[in-house]
């Protein structure tokens, strides 16, 4: 099973709207930023930011792009946090991918967003804009003559994706007991890892 965003109602809804519209995709913008740096012991065995973090959004991109491979991939990164520099770990990364039919996909990611667990996405189609916003503690906004106040975004992934993880566990149960089909297929993993390899190759070659 593995990719929890597939089991999140919001990501499921935005994917459904794209598929139902039967319109081409022009742009996809993914934002995924964690709000605190994980323990160094974890980072040293995580496989790096691409396989640890970006892989989940690559999975959503693949579902939207019908598992096509991009024709061009460019990635740049930076690390400002000294503890991450010492273990050669990426802190911030930007990825731009172009697909054969001209679709452009961008991924913005960071291990260190102090303002909260920042996971958003935006999809542009002809005459369509789909936006998945951050999940916040409440949906209340306070408007005054001086400002607009809102609630902070969720603190971490167990808060933001609690329902998704429960859905994932429930589906796994049915896979075992009721022989539900495997959603994350071997092909989906192969495509995901090919894209991850292209991103890492771009980082390594700096082009």
């Amino acid at each position: 099973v593995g990719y929890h965003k597939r089991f999140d109602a919001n990501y499921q809804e935005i994917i459904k709207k794209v598929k139902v519209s039967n319109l081409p995709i022009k742009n996809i913008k993914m934002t995924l930023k964690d709000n605190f740096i994980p323990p160094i012991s974890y980072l040293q065995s995580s496989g790096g930011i691409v396989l640890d973090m970006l892989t989940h959004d690559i999975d959503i991109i693949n579902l939207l792009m019908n598992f096509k491979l991009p024709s061009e991939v460019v990635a740049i990164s930076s690390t400002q946090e000294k503890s991450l520099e010492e273990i050669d770990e990426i802190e911030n990364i930007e990825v731009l991918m172009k697909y054969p039919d001209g679709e452009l996909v961008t991924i913005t990611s960071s291990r260190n967003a102090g303002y909260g667990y920042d996971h958003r996405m935006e999809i542009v189609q002809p005459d369509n804009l789909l936006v998945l916003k951050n999940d916040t503690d409440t949906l209340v906004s306070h408007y005054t003559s001086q400002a607009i106040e809102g609630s902070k975004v969720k603190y971490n992934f167990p808060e933001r994706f609690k329902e998704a993880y429960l859905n994932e566990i429930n589906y796994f149960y049915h896979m075992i007991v009721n022989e539900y089909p495997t959603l994350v297929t071997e092909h989906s993993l192969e495509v995901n890892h090919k894209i991850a390899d292209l991103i890492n190759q771009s980082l390594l070659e700096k082009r």
Side-chain angles (χ1 to χ4, degrees):
V1 182
Y3 290 117
H4 61 275
K5 287 188 175 182
R6 289 189 181 212
F7 298 87
D8 178 78
N10 296 302
Y11 283 90
Q12 288 176 342
E13 180 64 17
I14 202 167
I15 291 170
K16 177 183 175 183
K17 285 185 177 298
V18 170
K19 299 296 186 182
V20 169
S21 74
N22 205 30
L23 292 171
I25 291 172
K26 289 180 172 290
N27 300 88
I28 302 174
K29 295 181 179 180
M30 311 292 287
T31 299
L32 56 150
K33 300 179 181 180
D34 287 1
N35 68 328
F36 60 88
I37 298 173
I40 297 299
S41 59
Y42 169 79
L43 293 176
Q44 289 175 319
S45 61
S46 70
I49 195 171
V50 177
L51 290 176
D52 183 35
M53 288 179 60
L54 272 63
T55 185
H56 297 283
D57 282 57
I58 292 170
D59 183 57
I60 297 299
I61 292 164
N62 288 341
L63 290 169
L64 290 164
M65 298 302 299
N66 296 315
F67 295 93
K68 291 189 296 184
L69 286 171
S71 54
E72 298 177 51
V73 176
V74 178
I76 57 174
S77 68
S78 70
T79 302
Q80 296 163 302
E81 178 65 36
K82 195 161 188 67
S83 63
L84 297 181
E85 279 186 342
E86 290 173 352
I87 62 168
D88 197 27
E89 174 62 41
I90 291 171
E91 182 179 2
N92 311 295
I93 185 170
E94 297 279 345
V95 178
L96 174 61
M97 301 190 291
K98 182 178 179 180
Y99 283 76
D101 292 325
E103 306 96 328
L104 294 178
V105 176
T106 58
I107 305 173
T108 299
S109 184
S110 176
R111 287 201 180 274
N112 192 18
Y115 55 87
Y117 191 70
D118 186 5
H119 284 239
R120 296 169 278 132
M121 76 180 290
E122 179 181 295
I123 301 171
V124 178
Q125 299 174 284
D127 303 318
N128 262 358
L129 171 63
L130 296 166
V131 178
L132 194 164
K133 299 179 180 180
N134 274 320
D135 198 5
T136 55
D137 288 343
T138 74
L139 298 178
V140 176
S141 296
H142 180 196
Y143 291 76
T144 70
S145 58
Q146 276 76 43
I148 301 173
E149 296 179 359
S151 177
K152 64 181 178 63
V153 299
K154 295 293 187 181
Y155 178 72
N156 55 22
F157 66 87
E159 287 186 9
R160 169 60 182 86
F161 290 108
K162 179 180 178 181
E163 294 300 321
Y165 284 117
L166 291 174
N167 292 338
E168 189 174 22
I169 291 169
N170 183 59
Y171 192 89
F172 184 65
Y173 167 82
H174 284 293
M175 283 175 59
I176 296 170
V177 175
N178 297 316
E179 297 184 350
Y180 276 26
T182 301
L183 295 182
V184 181
T185 64
E186 184 176 350
H187 177 64
S188 67
L189 292 172
E190 287 175 352
V191 174
N192 194 304
H193 279 270
K194 283 180 181 178
I195 293 175
D197 287 344
L198 290 170
I199 294 171
N200 281 324
Q201 182 180 347
S202 175
L203 290 170
L204 182 65
E205 297 177 355
K206 300 186 185 301
R207 63 183 177 89

